C-alpha cells in the first residue's frame, strides 16, 4: 500500500522469520490485559481494536484506536507488563511475533529498529493530540475531532475505498473516549447528525462530511508521510 514504506530484502526476510503465525479474534475479545505478561507482540492485519485503562470501580477510559498496520503490545516489551488492555472492536486478524526476538531485531536490523521507535513516537504524538482535544475542545468539537481522526486513519489504510466509511463504534465507545456521560454523548452526537455531518446507525457511525467535521473541530488533519510496517 502506498501509505507504507517499502522493505529492504534483508528486512523482509527477517520479518518473515520473526512472524510465528496469525491469530483471529471476534468483536469484544480481549487481546491483551493490563498487568499481564505476554510472550507475543502483534501487528494488526485487518479489523479494528482499542486500547483502554480502567479504574477499580470499572469505569473505562479509551486511550486510542488501532487499525491495520499498527503494532500491538510494544509496551510490554519495554516495561515488562502491560499498562493497558486491548479489545477487538471488530473481527480482526493479528500477525504474531515472538517478543524474545526483539533484541535480535534491534541488534541486526537498524532500519526496523528505527521503525519501532518511529511507531512509538507516532503513538505519543497521537496521544498528545487527544489530550489537547480533551483539555481544550468543547464536547461537540471533541466528538467531531474523534470521528474525523478515525476516518482519516482508516482512509490512510484503504478502508474508505468505496467512498463510504462506517466506523465500528458505539456511543458508549465515544463516551469512554471523550470522558462524557452517555446522555451527554448522545446529545452531542445528535448535534453533529443534525448538521448532516454523520449518521448514527445501530453499532456504527457513517461519516457524511469529513471536511465539515474537521472544520467543527478546527483540525487540519494528519500530516501525510510514509509509515513503517512491522
Amino acid at each position: 500500500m502506498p501509505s507504507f514504506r517499502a522493505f529492504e530484502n534483508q528486512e523482509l526476510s527477517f520479518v518473515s522469520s520473526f512472524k510465528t503465525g496469525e491469530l483471529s479474534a471476534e468483536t469484544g475479545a480481549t487481546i491483551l490485559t493490563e498487568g499481564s505478561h505476554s510472550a507475543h507482540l502483534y501487528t494488526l492485519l485487518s479489523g479494528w481494536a482499542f486500547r483502554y485503562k480502567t479504574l477499580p470501580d470499572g469505569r473505562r477510559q479509551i486511550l486510542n484506536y488501532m487499525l491495520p498496520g499498527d503494532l500491538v503490545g510494544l509496551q510490554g516489551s519495554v516495561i515488562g507488563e502491560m499498562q493497558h488492555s486491548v479489545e477487538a472492536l471488530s473481527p480482526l486478524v493479528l500477525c504474531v511475533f515472538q517478543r524474545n526476538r526483539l533484541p535480535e531485531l534491534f541488534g541486526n536490523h537498524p532500519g526496523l529498529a528505527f521503525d519501532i521507535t518511529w511507531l512509538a513516537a507516532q503513538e505519543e504524538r497521537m496521544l498528545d493530540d487527544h489530550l489537547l482535544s480533551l483539555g481544550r475542545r468543547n464536547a461537540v468539537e471533541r466528538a467531531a475531532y474523534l470521528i474525523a481522526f478515525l476516518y482519516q486513519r482508516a482512509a490512510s489504510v484503504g478502508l474508505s475505498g468505496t467512498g463510504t466509511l462506517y466506523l465500528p463504534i458505539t456511543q458508549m465507545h465515544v463516551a469512554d473516549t471523550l470522558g462524557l456521560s452517555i446522555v451527554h454523548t448522545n446529545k452531542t452526537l445528535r448535534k453533529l447528525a443534525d448538521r448532516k455531518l454523520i449518521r448514527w446507525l445501530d453499532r456504527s457511525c457513517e461519516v457524511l462530511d469529513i471536511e465539515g467535521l474537521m472544520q467543527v473541530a478546527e483540525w487540519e488533519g494528519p500530516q501525510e508521510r510514509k509509515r513503517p510496517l512491522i
Side-chain angles (χ1 to χ4, degrees):
M1 295 184 64
S3 56
F4 294 102
R5 83 161 179 86
F7 278 111
E8 300 290 339
N9 288 336
Q10 184 182 15
E11 294 173 338
L12 184 59
S13 177
F14 172 78
V15 170
S16 296
S17 68
F18 187 32
K19 177 178 178 177
T20 61
E22 294 184 1
L23 175 68
S24 298
E26 294 301 317
T27 303
T30 299
I31 309 303
L32 292 167
T33 304
E34 185 175 355
S36 67
H37 296 261
S38 173
H40 299 116
L41 185 67
Y42 308 96
T43 289
L44 187 55
L45 296 180
S46 66
W48 296 61
F50 63 91
R51 299 195 303 112
Y52 67 95
K53 291 179 72 72
T54 57
L55 291 173
D57 64 4
R59 285 176 291 171
R60 179 178 70 176
Q61 177 65 47
I62 294 179
L63 306 171
N64 206 352
Y65 292 81
M66 297 175 165
L67 280 81
D70 288 349
L71 199 60
V72 182
L74 178 62
Q75 190 182 76
S77 303
V78 179
I79 299 175
E81 65 179 30
M82 295 301 300
Q83 301 297 305
H84 58 256
S85 300
V86 177
E87 182 177 313
L89 192 58
S90 72
L92 54 79
V93 177
L94 296 159
C95 175
V96 184
F97 303 113
Q98 281 297 122
R99 190 185 298 278
N100 60 12
R101 292 193 65 193
L102 269 180
E104 181 183 347
L105 183 153
F106 276 89
N108 300 332
H109 302 278
L112 293 176
F114 178 82
D115 284 349
I116 288 182
T117 305
W118 189 94
L119 289 168
Q122 176 77 349
E123 180 73 20
E124 182 180 3
R125 185 192 66 77
M126 286 190 289
L127 291 177
D128 288 347
D129 288 342
H130 296 344
L131 184 58
L132 171 65
S133 190
L134 288 175
R136 289 303 174 208
R137 288 188 172 99
N138 63 37
V140 172
E141 293 167 343
R142 277 188 244 172
Y145 165 77
L146 173 64
I147 294 170
F149 167 80
L150 292 176
Y151 178 95
Q152 295 287 20
R153 289 214 64 213
S156 73
V157 291
L159 297 184
S160 62
T162 62
T164 302
L165 177 61
Y166 298 93
L167 307 177
I169 54 175
T170 66
Q171 293 194 12
M172 183 58 72
H173 291 120
V174 175
D176 287 350
T177 306
L178 302 185
L180 303 174
S181 70
I182 190 65
V183 173
H184 195 178
T185 297
N186 180 271
K187 292 178 180 178
T188 299
L189 294 173
R190 196 178 307 139
K191 292 177 181 178
L192 295 179
D194 289 343
R195 298 188 195 184
K196 309 299 182 185
L197 301 177
I198 62 172
R199 177 162 44 240
W200 205 262
L201 307 173
D202 183 26
R203 291 188 60 85
S204 65
C205 174
E206 181 184 1
V207 178
L208 302 176
D209 184 355
I210 181 60
E211 296 296 333
L213 287 169
M214 292 169 64
Q215 186 175 9
V216 170
E218 296 187 356
W219 181 57
E220 296 180 355
Q223 297 179 359
E224 296 296 332
R225 65 185 70 183
K226 293 284 186 179
R227 293 174 52 196
L229 174 67
I230 303 296

